[in-house]
């Protein structure tokens, strides 16, 4: 009787193993690590990774790691995007617990800045949204963060449809002054509002990106609380990076 060899994995099985390995790493993993975890030769893994990336099942980030791609992820989302929010909500919860402040996520959609998620707790209550966010983008760090990222044309179009309502004595109500503040902000992407939406509340926000969409991630806290600014900014920026990695919105 001749020698027998064990069954070999088909290319489909190999691809599934690579996707399972990539899906096990929230922040992605490089090709050699995925090959080891999938039990595949490195050359075979590289060939499949390129094919899966080209087809949209995986995505290669700038630092060379692979994460699950738009096509695979979008097939598991419902029309309201709950799958997406389920994926990024733990990041917001972790940020909330780290800084003891409510965490917020917004998206810029069809010319409007909309709140997608708020994660709070009894120890980290959300700000009272006494004015609809659609009409208060100019008065919040979350909204100003988005406005700062827009090009001149998109920003002008937004202002043409929104009045800069006077919400508190600190609210910026003159378009020229707001634009000057946005354009003169430091290079770091951190934006703040200091009691501009609600007296007694401060908010810090940074931009997040996903496919063709962008938005902002931020936290709010009482103005009488003291923070080490550098540490707070670092934590919010780190959370925004994790959210950006998890946003697989179709273009």
């Amino acid at each position: 009787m001749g020698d027998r060899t064990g069954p070999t994995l088909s290319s489909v099985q190999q691809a599934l193993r690579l996707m399972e390995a990539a899906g096990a790493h929230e922040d992605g993993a490089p090709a050699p690590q995925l090959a080891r975890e999938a039990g595949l030769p490195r050359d075979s893994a590289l060939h499949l990774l390129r094919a899966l990336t080209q087809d949209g099942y995986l995505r290669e980030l700038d630092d060379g790691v692979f994460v699950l791609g738009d096509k695979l992820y979008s097939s598991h989302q419902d029309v309201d995007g709950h799958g997406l929010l389920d994926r990024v909500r733990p990041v917001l919860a972790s940020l909330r617990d780290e800084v003891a402040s409510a965490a917020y996520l917004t998206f810029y959609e069809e010319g409007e800045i909309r709140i997608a998620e708020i994660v709070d707790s009894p120890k980290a209550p959300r700000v009272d949204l006494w004015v609809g966010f659609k009409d208060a983008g100019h008065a919040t760090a979350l909204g100003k963060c988005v406005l700062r990222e827009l090009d001149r044309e998109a920003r002008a179009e937004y202002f043409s449809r929104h009045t800069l309502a006077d919400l508190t004595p600190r609210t910026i109500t003159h378009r020229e002054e707001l634009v000057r503040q946005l354009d003169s902000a430091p290079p770091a992407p951190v934006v703040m509002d200091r009691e501009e939406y609600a007296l007694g509340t401060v908010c810090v926000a940074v931009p997040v990106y996903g496919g063709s969409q962008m938005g902002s991630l931020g936290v709010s806290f009482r103005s009488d609380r003291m923070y080490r600014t550098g540490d707070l900014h670092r934590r919010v920026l780190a959370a925004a990076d994790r959210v950006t990695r998890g946003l697989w919105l179709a273009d």
Side-chain angles (χ1 to χ4, degrees):
M1 186 178 292
D3 292 338
R4 293 185 176 179
T5 58
T8 59
L9 292 172
S10 69
S11 59
V12 173
Q13 290 173 310
Q14 292 176 348
L16 288 173
R17 284 195 175 188
L18 284 171
M19 288 190 289
E20 288 175 354
H25 299 279
E26 180 179 351
D27 295 327
Q33 181 178 350
L34 294 178
R36 288 195 303 271
E37 294 178 1
L40 300 176
R42 182 171 179 174
D43 288 345
S44 298
L46 287 173
H47 175 76
L48 283 170
L49 287 170
R50 284 194 293 269
L52 290 168
T53 300
Q54 184 176 358
D55 289 339
Y57 292 102
L58 293 178
R59 184 159 60 96
E60 185 177 9
L61 303 183
D62 292 340
D63 56 0
V65 302
F66 291 84
V67 296
L68 296 179
D70 296 340
K71 183 177 290 186
L72 182 66
Y73 185 65
S74 62
S75 67
H76 293 284
Q77 290 185 330
D78 60 26
V79 294
D80 294 323
H82 291 302
L84 169 66
L85 294 179
D86 287 343
R87 197 165 189 82
V88 301
R89 191 174 290 112
V91 180
L92 273 66
S94 177
L95 177 62
R96 174 202 61 195
D97 295 341
E98 286 181 12
V99 301
S101 302
Y104 307 77
L105 178 66
T106 76
F107 288 126
Y108 182 67
E109 299 174 326
E110 300 178 347
E112 299 294 347
I113 305 167
R114 297 190 172 103
I115 291 182
E117 186 63 273
I118 302 175
V119 177
D120 58 359
S121 72
K123 294 183 178 180
R126 69 183 65 187
V127 64
D128 179 19
L129 299 177
W130 68 284
V131 174
F133 201 82
K134 178 180 177 181
D135 300 316
H138 65 291
T140 67
L142 292 157
K144 291 196 293 182
C145 186
V146 171
L147 292 173
R148 178 181 173 177
E149 297 299 304
L150 296 180
D151 60 34
R152 182 176 299 179
E153 182 179 352
R155 189 189 290 172
E157 197 278 332
Y158 177 89
F159 285 141
S160 71
R161 296 180 289 104
H162 296 83
T163 301
L164 305 189
D166 185 3
L167 304 183
T168 79
R170 295 176 178 268
T171 306
I172 299 174
T173 58
H174 296 286
R175 182 186 306 181
E176 294 77 10
E177 181 182 353
L178 179 60
V179 170
R180 184 166 54 250
Q181 182 191 90
L182 296 174
D183 290 342
S184 64
V190 178
V191 176
M192 294 186 66
D193 86 68
R194 298 174 174 84
E195 302 185 83
E196 295 165 44
Y197 176 79
L199 291 176
T201 299
V202 174
C203 183
V204 174
V206 298
V208 294
Y209 304 89
S212 62
Q213 278 199 307
M214 59 86 63
S216 57
L217 170 72
V219 295
S220 66
F221 49 91
R222 291 199 332 251
S223 58
D224 59 356
R225 286 181 58 184
M226 297 297 294
Y227 274 108
R228 290 188 299 172
T229 303
D231 183 61
L232 176 63
H233 290 183
R234 178 181 60 80
R235 291 177 184 272
V236 176
L237 285 166
D241 182 65
R242 292 177 64 194
V243 169
T244 292
R245 287 175 178 266
L247 293 180
W248 296 309
L249 299 177
D251 290 339

